[in-house]
Amino acid sequence: MTQTNIILLGPPGAGKGTQAKRLVDERQMVQLSTGDMLREARTSGTEMGRRVAAVMDAGHLVTDDIVIGLIEERLTTGKAGGGYIFDGFPRTLKQADALGDLLQRLGQKLDAVIEIRVDDEVLKDRIVGRYTCGNCGAVYHDKYRPTKVPGVCDTCGSTNMKRRADDTEEALRTRMLAYYRDTSPLIGYYYALRQLTTIDGLAPMDTVAEAVAKVLDKR
Ligand code: ADP
Ligand code: AMP
């Protein structure tokens, strides 16, 4: 199987997780979401999970060492399938450098960085309307992607729908600040490395998916 490794870059609510899930289904790629990994650590009650809980709920970034450690563990022990989708990682220049080093060490490379660009105005609406299936992780939205049967996951039939503790207007303000201060410099960084492609994240989900597919197929 050919392996393609990509980063999905964009602010909270841009649609990274939504597009990552489609790539997992359609291309057998492996989604590596540091947000999901940290939430799992909290649910399973690990020491690290307890330590990061308050930081996450307030919308701050957790330390580079923690997330780099999580990614390193997955890259060195997990299956790569059709390639990795880095979703929500890297979020700082230090994380970007660590990812470059890790991939190099493993004899792999980064094939593309896809910036999903949106206007800030849509993010509040997307974030406060988001809910996910607690069983399979499918991502829904009150207005833009409701389940066909209210409260029942289209994918797995579970009725365990969840809303995130940090999907509030207040935490979003902090998350946006973190995005502009720490993560948005990565756009310039990957542009300079000639790895960046920017796509329109304001378009409907299917159109965004077509734009992502075009970037992958061009390669
Ligand atoms: P991210 O992973 O970047 O934080 P998500 O993929 O979870 O973002 O999307 C945030 C919310 O916006 C979800 O409720 C999702 O259903 C919705 N959404 C995602 N992409 C779009 C889109 N192109 N148009 C409208 N709503 C979208
Ligand atoms: P996400 O699911 O990507 O929206 O991430 C949710 C929260 O997890 C963020 O607001 C941070 O607190 C934390 N987090 C996830 N990924 C990272 C990362 N790469 N670096 C630092 N903190 C992260």
Side-chain angles (χ1 to χ4, degrees):
M1 198 186 298
T2 47
Q3 194 178 327
T4 308
N5 301 318
I6 64 165
I7 294 174
L8 295 180
L9 194 60
K16 303 180 294 295
T18 299
Q19 296 304 325
K21 295 241 164 347
R22 291 178 75 131
L23 294 172
V24 170
D25 293 342
E26 292 163 12
R27 296 179 187 245
Q28 291 75 51
M29 292 175 78
V30 176
Q31 179 186 11
L32 294 183
S33 156
T34 39
D36 284 350
M37 293 176 206
L38 292 164
R39 280 184 290 277
E40 270 162 35
R42 293 178 60 170
T43 313
S44 54
T46 65
E47 162 61 23
M48 184 270 280
R50 273 194 296 275
R51 253 191 299 143
V52 299
V55 175
M56 290 176 74
D57 288 351
H60 297 292
L61 294 185
V62 311
T63 61
D64 288 330
D65 290 348
I66 289 180
V67 287
I68 291 167
L70 287 169
I71 289 287
E72 179 166 14
E73 193 186 317
R74 294 292 283 269
L75 286 184
T76 47
T77 60
K79 285 214 174 72
Y84 294 109
I85 308 152
F86 297 96
D87 161 12
F89 180 93
R91 260 178 157 98
T92 64
L93 286 166
K94 186 172 170 198
Q95 293 177 23
D97 283 339
L99 177 63
D101 290 347
L102 259 171
L103 289 173
Q104 197 182 29
R105 200 154 38 107
L106 298 167
Q108 295 193 31
K109 64 182 187 358
L110 190 60
D111 295 286
V113 179
I114 302 176
E115 181 206 357
I116 305 181
R117 184 168 290 175
V118 289
D119 293 338
D120 291 354
E121 294 83 75
V122 305
L123 296 178
K124 190 188 91 190
D125 207 28
R126 286 199 187 177
I127 289 288
V128 299
R130 168 162 62 185
Y131 58 101
T132 54
C133 172
N135 182 50
C136 73
V139 185
Y140 296 101
H141 191 279
D142 292 328
K143 267 194 278 185
Y144 307 123
R145 195 192 171 200
T147 52
K148 292 196 184 83
V149 179
V152 182
C153 179
D154 295 352
T155 310
C156 74
S158 167
T159 52
N160 178 22
M161 293 297 162
K162 289 191 165 160
R163 287 183 194 262
R164 283 168 46 174
D166 59 346
D167 276 351
T168 60
E169 262 194 82
E170 200 192 339
L172 178 61
R173 275 194 291 274
T174 309
R175 290 158 74 193
M176 291 304 295
L177 211 64
Y179 178 75
Y180 281 114
R181 194 186 62 183
D182 297 320
T183 310
S184 66
L186 299 186
I187 295 170
Y189 177 72
Y190 287 119
Y191 170 79
L193 291 173
R194 298 178 175 273
Q195 286 179 308
L196 189 81
T197 305
T198 300
I199 63 173
D200 177 16
L202 294 172
M205 288 171 217
D206 288 348
T207 312
V208 180
E210 282 166 24
V212 171
K214 229 164 124 183
V215 177
L216 291 178
D217 292 338
K218 202 171 65 187
R219 309 193 14 79

